[in-house]
C-alpha cells in the first residue's frame, strides 16, 4: 500500500513537472499535466508491482492468462488512483495547486482497443481479477490505431483514424528483454535425430519480433498488481537486411497496426488471422518461458497455468501450445494433448452463425504450415476416437476441418476442458442448439458464467454522487462486497432517501445536458426522461425499433398537441462497422429523425433526440449515471448477454427489455414491478423460424399506426433522408423484417406508455430506481470472476481479501 501525504504529493508533482518540461505545471497543457501525474502515480506503484511479481514467482502460485483480441479499459488515471486509495490525497493536492482532478483526467486519451462488449468485459475482468487478489494477466495486441473515431457529417458516419499513441502512453512499460519470435510461412521438413525419431524442421519462415508492452492492473486496495501484456510486431534485431523493401517492412508493421472495426462478421482476411496467431503464439511462448523458470515437471503445467480464451480469436493457442510441447520440448502427442486440454478454457460470445469464425484451409496452410499439420492431426484423432461412440454423422458435424475451412469454435471446444456461455439463456441455447452435438459429446465441459461489470468504474468513479449517498446510507462495505447493496432495500419507502436518489440523478442529468449543449448545441431539459440506448449499431440490437417509437410519439404529439406526457430525450450512442451498410443507414436515419424532431417548433421540447458522436467508455461514464431508461430491446435469442444493461441498472436506470441475454437475470433480480418487459420470447421467435409463419406485410397492412410510421420512411416526411429510407422500409416489408420489429412494435409502445405514467409518479419511479441499484450487486464482475476462478481455473486468491 502506498502511504503519501498531499504535501509530499504536491512537492513531487511540481518537481517532476519541471524535470520533464523545464517549465511550471501551470503553463502546461491539460495533457502534459495529466502525463506528469500519470508518471508520478506509476513511480509510486512500481514497488508494489515488483513485489507482486516476486511473490508469485517465489510461491509458484497458479497463474491465469486471459487471452483477448480486445481490451477496452477506458481512461486509467482515476481507476488507478481509486484502487490505490490515492484519490482524495491527489484531488486535494491538485486543488491546492490550483488544478482540478476531473479536468486533468481528461488529458488522458481513452484507448479504444476494443469494439464493444467483448473488449469491455475483458477490462472489467482484469480489474476484478486483481481486486479479488488473484494472479491473472491479460494477453492481447498493442494496436497502433484503435477503433476509428466517429464523426457525423450531414448525418452520415465518417471514420477517422484513432492515433491514440501520438503522445505516448504513460502507463505502459516496453519490455524488450521479454520479446519473442513468431514465425510465419515457410515449410516444414521432417528430419531424423540420432535416435531415429522424426522431428519437424521449419524452413524459410518469415520471423517477426513480438515485443511486449506491460501495464499493471491495480487491485482494489489490496496491493495486488497483475499484468496486462500487449504485443507489438517489429523487425527482429539484426535481420533488417531481410526486410529491404518498403512493402516487406510494412507487412510487419501491419500486424499490429489496426484493430478490426467489426465485432461480428469475419470476412476471410489474411491479416486478421496473422494478428490472431501473432498474439496467441507470443503469449504462449512467454508463458512457457515463465513455467520453465519454475523448474517443475511438464505434467504440472496445468497446475501452475490456466489459459482462458475470450471468444475464438485466440483459439490458435491450442495448436501453438501443442507445437511447443511437441517440437520444442519433445513431449509425446498424448502428454502434450493432456496438458493442452487441461490448461485451456474457452468462452463463447455469440449465437449468430455469421459471427462464428472460420478460415480457409489454404490460407492457414500457407501462412502457418506446422500449425496446420497439428490441427489436421487433432482433427484426425478426434474423428477416429468419436466415430465409434457417436456415429459418423454427428462426429463429422463436429470436425474442425469441414468444407475447406478451419472451424475455430470446434478447435476451441475440442482443445479445452471448459466451454462457457455468458448468460443463462445464451448457455442454454448453446447446449440445445448451436453446439448441441458437442454438448452430447462433452456434457461436462459446458457451463454458464453470466457476465458482470465492475462497480468500481461504473459507480464509484462514474457516479460519485451516488457513491456518497450509498456510503451514507448503507456504509462502505458494499464497495468490497457489492451484494451489500441489498441493504438499500430497507430504505425503499424512505421518502428522504428517495428524494436524494432523485437529486443525484438530476445532477448527473445536468452534467450530461451541459455536455450536449457544448458538443451538439442542443438544449435538453434535465427533468425530461433520459431514454438511453448505447451499444454497437447492429440490426439485432434493434435501434430501429426505438426509432419507430420516436416517430410514433412524434405523430401522436402532432395529432394532439395538448396531450400530457412527460418530456423525453432519446439518447443514442453507437458506432457501425465501416463495411456494415445497413447499420450506417440506420445511423443516418436516427440523425435525420433528430433533425426533424428537434427543429419542429410544435414539439415544444416534448421530444428531443441526441445522437452523441464517438461513443466509447468515457462517454458511457458520462451518460450512464444520467439515464432514466435503459433500452435493451434486442430480438429475443440474439444478444448473448449484454453488459450495458447491468451498468445502467446499477446507476438506477429502469430497463426496457426483451427477454434476452442477461435481461432475463435482471428480471429475476428486480421483478416485473421494477422493469418493463415486452416482446416475443425466444421460444416464440424459434417457432416463427420453424413454421415460416411470419409475414411482416400483414402487420404493416393491419396496423394503421404502424403503417403511418413506416410510410414516413418513404414519403419525404423525414427531411434529408435519401435511399436509406427506402432501403430500411424494404428490409422491413419486402424482406420480411428479419428481426421481428413489426411484431414487437405494439407491445413496445405499450411498455413505453407505462414508463410515461410511472415517471409522473416521482416516488414510485425513485423507488424502482432504488430497487435496481440495490439488486445490481449480483452482476458484479467480482462474483463472475470468483466463479471462473473456482469452477474453471481452479485458482485461489493470493491476497486473502480486498481491504477497503
Ligand atoms: C458496456 C459497453 C458496451 C457493451 O454494451 P452492450 O449494450 O452490452 O452491447 C459497449 N461499448 C462500451 C463503450 C461499453 O462500455
Amino acid at each position: 500500500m502506498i502511504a503519501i501525504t498531499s504535501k509530499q504529493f504536491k512537492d513531487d508533482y511540481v518537481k517532476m513537472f519541471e524535470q520533464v518540461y523545464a517549465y511550471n505545471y501551470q503553463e502546461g497543457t491539460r495533457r502534459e499535466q495529466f502525463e506528469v501525474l500519470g508518471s508520478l502515480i506509476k513511480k509510486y506503484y512500481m514497488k508494489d508491482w515488483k513485489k507482486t511479481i516476486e511473490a508469485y514467482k517465489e510461491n509458484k502460485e497458479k497463474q491465469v492468462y486471459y487471452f483477448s483480441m480486445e481490451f477496452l479499459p477506458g481512461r486509467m488515471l482515476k481507476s488507478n488512483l481509486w484502487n490505490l486509495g490515492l484519490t482524495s490525497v491527489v484531488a486535494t493536492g491538485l486543488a491546492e495547486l490550483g488544478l482540478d482532478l476531473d479536468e486533468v483526467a481528461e488529458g488522458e486519451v481513452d484507448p479504444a482497443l476494443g469494439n464493444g462488449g467483448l473488449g469491455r468485459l475483458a477490462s472489467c475482468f482484469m480489474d476484478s481479477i486483481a481486486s479479488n487478489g488473484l494472479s491473472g494477466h491479460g494477453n492481447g495486441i498493442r494496436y497502433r490505431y484503435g477503433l476509428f473515431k466517429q464523426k457525423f457529417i450531414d448525418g452520415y458516419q465518417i471514420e477517422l483514424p484513432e492515433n491514440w499513441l501520438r503522445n505516448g502512453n504513460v502507463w505502459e512499460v516496453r519490455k524488450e528483454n521479454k520479446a519473442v519470435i513468431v514465425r510465419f510461412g515457410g515449410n516444414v521438413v521432417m528430419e531424423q535425430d540420432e535416435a531415429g525419431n522424426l522431428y519437424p524442421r521449419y524452413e524459410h519462415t518469415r520471423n517477426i519480433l513480438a515485443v511486449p508492452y506491460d501495464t499493471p492492473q491495480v487491485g482494489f486496495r489490496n496491493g495486488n498488481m497483475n499484468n496486462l501484456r500487449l504485443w507489438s510486431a517489429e523487425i527482429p534485431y539484426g535481420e533488417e537486411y531481410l526486410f529491404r523493401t518498403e512493402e516487406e517492412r510494412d507487412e510487419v508493421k501491419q500486424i499490429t497496426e489496426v484493430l478490426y472495426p467489426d465485432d461480428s462478421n469475419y470476412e476471410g482476411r489474411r491479416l486478421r488471422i496473422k494478428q490472431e496467431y501473432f498474439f496467441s503464439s507470443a503469449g504462449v511462448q512467454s508463458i512457457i518461458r515463465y513455467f520453465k523458470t519454475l523448474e517443475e515437471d511438464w505434467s504440472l503445467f496445468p497446475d501452475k497455468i490456466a489459459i482462458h480464451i475470450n471468444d475464438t480469436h485466440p483459439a490458435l493457442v491450442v495448436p501453438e501450445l501443442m507445437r511447443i510441447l511437441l517440437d520444442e520440448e519433445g513431449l509425446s502427442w498424448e502428454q502434450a494433448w493432456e496438458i493442452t486440454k487441461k490448461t485451456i478454457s474457452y468462452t463463447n460470445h455469440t449465437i449468430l452463425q455469421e459471427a462464428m469464425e472460420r478460415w480457409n484451409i489454404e490460407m492457414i496452410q500457407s501462412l502457418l504450415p506446422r500449425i496446420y499439420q497439428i490441427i489436421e492431426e487433432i482433427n484426425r484423432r478426434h474423428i477416429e476416437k468419436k466415430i465409434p461412440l457417436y456415429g459418423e454423422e454427428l462426429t463429422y458435424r463436429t470436425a474442425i476441418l469441414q468444407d475447406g475451412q478451419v472451424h475455430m469454435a470446434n478447435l476451441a471446444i475440442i482443445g479445452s476442458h471448459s466451454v462457457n456461455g455468458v448468460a443463462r439463456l445464451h448457455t442454454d441455447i448453446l447446449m440445445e442448439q448451436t453446439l448441441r452435438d458437442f454438448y452430447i459429446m462433452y456434457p461436462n465441459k459446458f457451463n454458464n458464467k453470466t457476465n458482470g461489470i465492475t462497480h468500481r468504474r461504473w459507480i464509484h468513479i462514474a457516479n460519485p454522487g451516488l457513491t456518497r449517498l450509498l456510503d451514507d446510507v448503507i456504509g462502505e462495505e458494499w464497495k468490497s462486497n457489492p451484494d451489500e447493496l441489498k441493504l438499500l432495500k430497507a430504505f425503499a419507502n424512505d421518502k428522504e432517501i428517495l428524494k436524494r436518489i432523485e437529486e443525484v440523478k438530476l445532477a448527473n442529468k445536468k452534467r450530461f445536458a451541459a455536455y450536449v449543449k457544448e458538443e451538439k448545441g442542443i438544449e435538453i431539459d434535465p427533468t425530461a426522461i433520459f431514454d438511453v440506448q448505447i451499444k454497437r449499431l447492429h440490426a439485432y440490437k434493434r435501434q430501429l425499433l426505438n426509432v419507430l417509437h420516436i416517430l410514433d410519439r412524434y405523430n401522436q404529439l402532432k395529432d394532439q398537441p395538448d396531450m400530457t406526457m412527460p418530456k423525453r430525450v432519446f439518447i443514442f450512442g453507437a458506432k457501425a462497422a465501416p463495411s456494415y451498410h445497413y447499420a450506417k443507414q440506420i445511423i443516418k436515419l436516427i440523425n435525420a429523425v433528430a433533425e426533424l424532431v428537434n427543429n419542429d417548433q410544435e414539439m415544444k421540447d416534448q421530444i428531443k433526440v441526441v445522437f452523441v458522436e464517438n461513443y466509447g467508455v468515457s462517454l458511457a461514464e458520462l451518460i450512464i449515471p444520467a439515464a432514466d431508461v435503459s433500452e435493451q430491446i434486442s430480438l429475443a435469442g440474439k444478444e448473448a448477454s449484454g453488459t450495458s444493461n447491468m451498468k445502467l441498472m446499477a446507476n438506477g436506470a429502469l430497463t426496457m427489455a426483451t427477454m434476452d441475454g442477461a435481461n432475463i437475470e435482471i428480471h429475476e433480480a428486480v421483478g416485473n414491478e421494477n422493469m418493463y418487459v415486452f416482446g416475443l420470447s425466444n421460444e416464440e421467435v424459434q417457432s416463427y423460424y420453424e413454421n415460416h409463419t411470419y409475414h411482416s406485410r400483414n402487420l404493416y397492412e393491419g396496423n394503421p399506426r404502424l403503417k403511418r410510421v413506416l410510410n414516413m420512411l418513404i414519403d419525404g416526411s423525414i427531411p434529408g433522408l435519401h435511399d436509406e429510407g427506402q432501403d430500411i422500409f424494404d428490409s422491413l416489408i419486402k424482406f420480411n423484417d428479419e428481426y421481428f420489429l413489426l411484431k414487437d412494435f405494439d407491445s413496445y409502445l405499450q411498455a413505453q406508455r407505462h414508463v410515461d405514467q410511472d415517471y409522473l409518479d416521482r416516488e414510485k419511479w425513485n423507488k424502482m430506481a432504488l430497487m435496481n441499484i440495490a439488486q445490481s450487486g449480483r452482476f458484479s464482475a467480482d462474483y463472475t470472476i470468483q466463479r471462473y476462478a473456482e469452477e474453471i481455473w481452479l485458482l485461489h486468491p493470493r491476497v486473502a481479501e480486498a481491504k477497503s
Side-chain angles (χ1 to χ4, degrees):
M1 296 296 276
I2 299 157
I4 192 125
T5 63
S6 70
K7 160 124 187 29
Q8 177 72 51
F9 162 73
K10 276 190 298 186
D11 291 347
D12 291 347
Y13 184 74
V14 171
K15 202 161 94 198
M16 192 179 215
F17 198 99
E18 285 168 10
Q19 283 169 349
V20 175
Y21 285 107
Y23 46 81
N24 191 289
Y25 71 89
Q26 285 150 325
E27 296 169 60
T29 64
R30 195 179 267 181
R31 190 194 61 74
E32 290 165 351
Q33 290 166 347
F34 156 74
E35 185 193 291
V36 172
L37 179 55
S39 308
L40 182 59
I41 301 307
K42 182 171 163 189
K43 200 174 125 189
Y44 291 155
Y45 68 48
M46 279 313 232
K47 226 193 290 163
D48 271 358
W49 196 13
K50 183 159 175 281
K51 261 202 303 218
T52 306
I53 297 169
E54 284 165 358
Y56 68 65
K57 279 197 173 149
E58 194 173 306
N59 305 331
K60 301 187 177 187
E61 291 151 23
K62 187 168 186 178
Q63 312 282 306
V64 62
Y65 295 86
Y66 194 83
F67 280 51
S68 179
M69 193 89 179
E70 305 183 7
F71 289 90
L72 197 53
R75 291 182 176 130
M76 279 173 268
L77 175 66
K78 282 192 183 174
S79 160
N80 284 345
L81 290 176
W82 186 252
N83 287 2
L84 292 166
L86 291 176
T87 307
S88 79
V89 167
V90 167
T92 313
L94 287 177
E96 286 168 13
L97 293 172
L99 296 175
D100 178 67
L101 175 59
D102 288 342
E103 284 173 15
V104 175
E106 293 202 358
E108 180 176 2
V109 286
D110 178 346
L113 307 186
N115 275 291
L118 176 136
R120 183 55 230 172
L121 182 77
S123 287
C124 276
F125 279 4
M126 291 315 296
D127 184 3
S128 287
I129 291 171
S131 297
N132 282 351
L134 297 162
S135 286
H137 316 285
N139 187 77
I141 295 177
R142 181 179 181 268
Y143 300 104
R144 185 75 185 66
Y145 291 89
L147 185 61
F148 64 86
K149 192 178 248 156
Q150 180 193 52
K151 280 233 169 288
F152 296 144
I153 293 184
D154 195 21
Y156 291 101
Q157 168 175 293
I158 303 296
E159 299 101 29
L160 301 171
E162 167 64 305
N163 186 8
W164 72 288
L165 286 169
R166 187 198 322 259
N167 296 303
N169 168 7
V170 292
W171 307 114
E172 69 185 10
V173 180
R174 178 181 164 89
K175 298 226 173 117
E176 241 168 51
N177 65 333
K178 301 277 157 111
V180 299
I181 294 285
V182 177
R183 295 184 179 83
F184 290 96
N187 39 45
V188 187
V189 280
M190 298 309 276
E191 296 200 339
Q192 266 185 353
D193 64 13
E194 297 95 67
N197 298 319
L198 281 178
Y199 73 95
R201 191 164 57 76
Y202 316 149
E203 277 185 350
H204 311 304
T205 55
R206 187 55 117 185
N207 297 348
I208 310 290
L209 187 72
V211 182
Y213 286 74
D214 289 358
T215 303
Q217 306 294 298
V218 180
F220 182 60
R221 301 181 195 177
N222 61 5
N224 190 30
M225 305 272 265
N226 290 325
N227 189 17
L228 171 62
R229 174 160 283 184
L230 303 180
W231 299 91
S232 182
E234 296 181 12
I235 293 168
Y237 300 108
E239 292 192 11
E240 288 82 359
Y241 67 96
L242 290 171
F243 299 82
R244 254 167 273 170
T245 67
E246 185 72 31
E247 225 180 315
E248 286 169 319
R249 285 192 294 273
D250 243 29
E251 228 184 279
V252 179
K253 227 172 65 184
Q254 284 299 327
I255 297 175
T256 50
E257 190 75 352
V258 283
L259 164 76
Y260 272 72
D262 192 335
D263 62 352
S264 60
N265 281 293
Y266 298 106
E267 268 89 63
R269 290 203 203 91
R270 224 173 113 84
L271 188 54
R272 174 97 179 173
I273 192 74
K274 268 191 180 174
Q275 292 186 323
E276 294 185 357
Y277 181 65
F278 176 77
F279 89 100
S280 301
S281 171
V284 173
Q285 289 187 59
S286 85
I287 291 168
I288 295 271
R289 184 174 50 201
Y290 163 73
F291 178 75
K292 286 167 109 172
T293 67
L294 302 180
E295 302 184 330
E296 295 281 4
D297 192 79
W298 282 108
S299 63
L300 291 180
F301 192 84
D303 295 337
K304 297 293 168 192
I305 306 287
I307 295 178
H308 196 89
I309 61 175
N310 194 25
D311 215 323
T312 57
H313 319 133
L316 292 177
V317 298
V318 173
E320 177 66 1
L321 183 54
M322 287 296 288
R323 182 189 70 78
I324 296 174
L325 296 175
L326 293 168
D327 296 357
E328 292 177 11
E329 306 302 336
L331 272 63
S332 72
W333 182 280
E334 289 71 20
Q335 284 173 310
W337 185 240
E338 201 52 30
I339 290 170
T340 299
K341 270 193 310 183
K342 274 193 185 159
T343 302
I344 295 170
S345 48
Y346 155 58
T347 297
N348 175 293
H349 278 273
T350 185
I351 22 202
L352 303 181
Q353 272 308 321
E354 71 267 24
M356 291 282 185
E357 263 193 307
R358 296 181 187 99
W359 298 104
N360 267 337
I361 284 181
E362 292 81 58
M363 200 173 70
I364 303 268
Q365 208 167 10
S366 68
L367 206 57
L368 305 165
R370 180 58 182 151
I371 289 298
Y372 182 70
Q373 285 182 344
I374 292 170
I375 294 174
E376 250 186 336
E377 182 61 12
I378 294 172
N379 187 55
R380 193 189 67 75
R381 288 178 185 240
H382 170 72
I383 290 178
E384 186 179 83
K385 188 166 155 207
K386 298 299 178 188
I387 283 181
L389 294 167
Y390 303 100
E392 289 198 2
E393 210 177 307
L394 190 150
T395 302
Y396 279 116
R397 283 201 303 263
T398 63
I400 300 166
L401 304 176
Q402 287 182 55
D403 12 287
Q405 293 183 311
V406 180
H407 291 237
M408 300 288 271
N410 299 8
L411 175 62
I413 297 165
I414 293 167
S416 65
H417 63 89
S418 167
V419 178
N420 74 279
V422 290
R424 206 170 53 221
L425 174 68
H426 173 230
T427 303
D428 288 346
I429 293 174
L430 291 180
M431 295 190 298
E432 285 157 25
Q433 292 168 32
T434 324
L435 302 176
R436 188 160 182 221
D437 297 326
F438 284 110
Y439 182 58
I440 292 169
M441 257 178 203
Y442 310 110
N444 299 327
K445 279 195 192 186
F446 284 78
N447 62 92
N448 177 57
K449 295 286 170 284
T450 300
N451 283 165
I453 54 155
T454 169
H455 284 63
R456 287 173 288 281
R457 179 168 294 267
W458 298 109
I459 296 189
H460 308 187
I461 295 169
N463 198 343
L466 179 58
T467 303
R468 274 191 299 273
L469 184 154
L470 291 168
D471 287 350
D472 280 0
V473 178
I474 59 170
E476 291 205 45
E477 189 55 28
W478 67 277
K479 288 201 183 112
S480 322
N481 187 10
D483 224 19
E484 286 213 359
L485 285 166
K486 283 198 180 124
L487 293 171
L488 197 59
K489 283 202 275 186
F491 301 87
N493 295 309
D494 184 323
K495 288 202 167 81
E496 197 216 333
I497 302 299
L498 294 177
K499 188 81 198 133
R500 281 181 67 189
I501 286 180
E502 181 172 338
E503 283 163 6
V504 167
K505 183 62 79 182
L506 185 64
N508 292 333
K509 288 164 81 172
K510 285 181 179 164
R511 180 174 74 162
F512 179 62
Y515 172 86
V516 172
K517 177 87 178 79
E518 169 86 20
E519 287 296 314
K520 311 219 48 130
I522 302 172
E523 296 263 8
I524 54 176
D525 180 348
T527 65
I529 300 177
F530 280 17
D531 181 331
V532 170
Q533 189 170 20
I534 42 174
K535 48 186 75 248
R536 283 300 287 261
L537 205 312
H538 212 294
Y540 83 81
K541 291 179 184 273
R542 303 203 296 188
Q543 279 93 350
L544 182 54
L545 182 59
N546 192 337
V547 175
L548 299 183
H549 168 229
I550 298 171
L551 289 173
D552 177 75
R553 180 168 290 240
Y554 177 76
N555 291 339
Q556 299 305 306
L557 285 163
K558 279 292 206 193
D559 292 354
Q560 312 161 57
D562 46 352
M563 194 164 68
T564 55
M565 54 171 133
K567 293 181 183 173
R568 267 220 217 194
V569 182
F570 295 91
I571 295 155
F572 292 90
K575 289 181 181 176
S579 62
Y580 191 171
H581 186 61
Y582 184 69
K584 291 171 109 172
Q585 290 186 314
I586 307 269
I587 287 183
K588 170 65 182 176
L589 172 64
I590 298 170
N591 280 322
V593 169
E595 284 293 313
L596 170 72
V597 167
N598 296 348
N599 298 319
D600 188 325
Q601 298 306 320
E602 286 177 39
M603 283 300 110
K604 297 197 216 86
D605 293 354
Q606 291 275 25
I607 346 179
K608 284 272 160 97
V609 178
V610 174
F611 197 158
V612 298
E613 273 164 300
N614 203 37
Y615 175 62
V617 175
S618 295
L619 266 172
E621 287 169 1
L622 187 64
I623 296 170
I624 289 170
D628 296 305
V629 175
S630 160
E631 297 282 348
Q632 308 297 338
I633 59 178
S634 53
L635 176 65
K638 297 289 180 193
E639 185 75 270
S641 162
T643 47
S644 75
N645 47 4
M646 301 169 185
K647 300 166 199 166
L648 282 153
M649 84 176 286
N651 279 274
L654 308 190
T655 316
M656 169 65 64
T658 49
M659 280 301 206
D660 198 16
N663 295 350
I664 293 173
E665 288 155 78
I666 294 177
H667 181 250
E668 191 176 86
V670 302
N672 251 337
E673 62 282 16
N674 296 302
M675 190 169 176
Y676 300 92
V677 176
F678 75 98
L680 293 171
S681 68
N682 178 46
E683 289 76 27
E684 288 166 329
V685 172
Q686 293 311 315
S687 112
Y688 271 124
Y689 285 147
E690 279 155 30
N691 305 326
H692 303 282
T693 47
Y694 188 69
H695 303 292
S696 65
R697 189 179 291 274
N698 296 348
L699 294 166
Y700 167 73
E701 295 296 352
N703 182 342
R705 215 160 136 178
L706 174 60
K707 188 169 187 178
R708 181 172 167 199
V709 165
L710 294 175
N711 286 346
M712 290 173 82
L713 298 171
I714 50 173
D715 66 7
S717 310
I718 306 169
L721 204 57
H722 302 288
D723 296 348
E724 42 283 321
Q726 184 71 50
D727 289 351
I728 293 167
F729 181 88
D730 287 346
S731 74
L732 297 175
I733 307 301
K734 202 162 145 194
F735 301 109
N736 205 26
D737 182 21
E738 191 179 347
Y739 296 100
F740 301 88
L741 279 74
L742 307 198
K743 182 70 197 170
D744 281 351
F745 180 74
D746 274 342
S747 63
Y748 186 50
L749 291 193
Q750 197 181 351
Q752 293 289 12
R753 270 198 298 279
H754 289 141
V755 168
D756 291 324
Q757 287 156 10
D758 291 346
Y759 192 76
L760 291 172
D761 183 347
R762 298 310 300 146
E763 211 172 291
K764 177 175 183 186
W765 187 273
N766 295 331
K767 182 176 167 178
M768 290 193 287
L770 175 145
M771 291 304 285
N772 273 270
I773 299 165
Q775 292 290 14
S776 72
R778 71 185 261 183
F779 298 105
S780 164
D782 292 358
Y783 302 131
T784 311
I785 284 299
Q786 271 169 27
R787 292 189 282 268
Y788 273 94
E790 284 165 18
E791 296 162 22
I792 301 179
W793 304 331
L794 310 181
L795 198 68
H796 305 291
R798 54 173 296 271
V799 183
E801 196 173 291
K803 294 174 275 284
S804 57

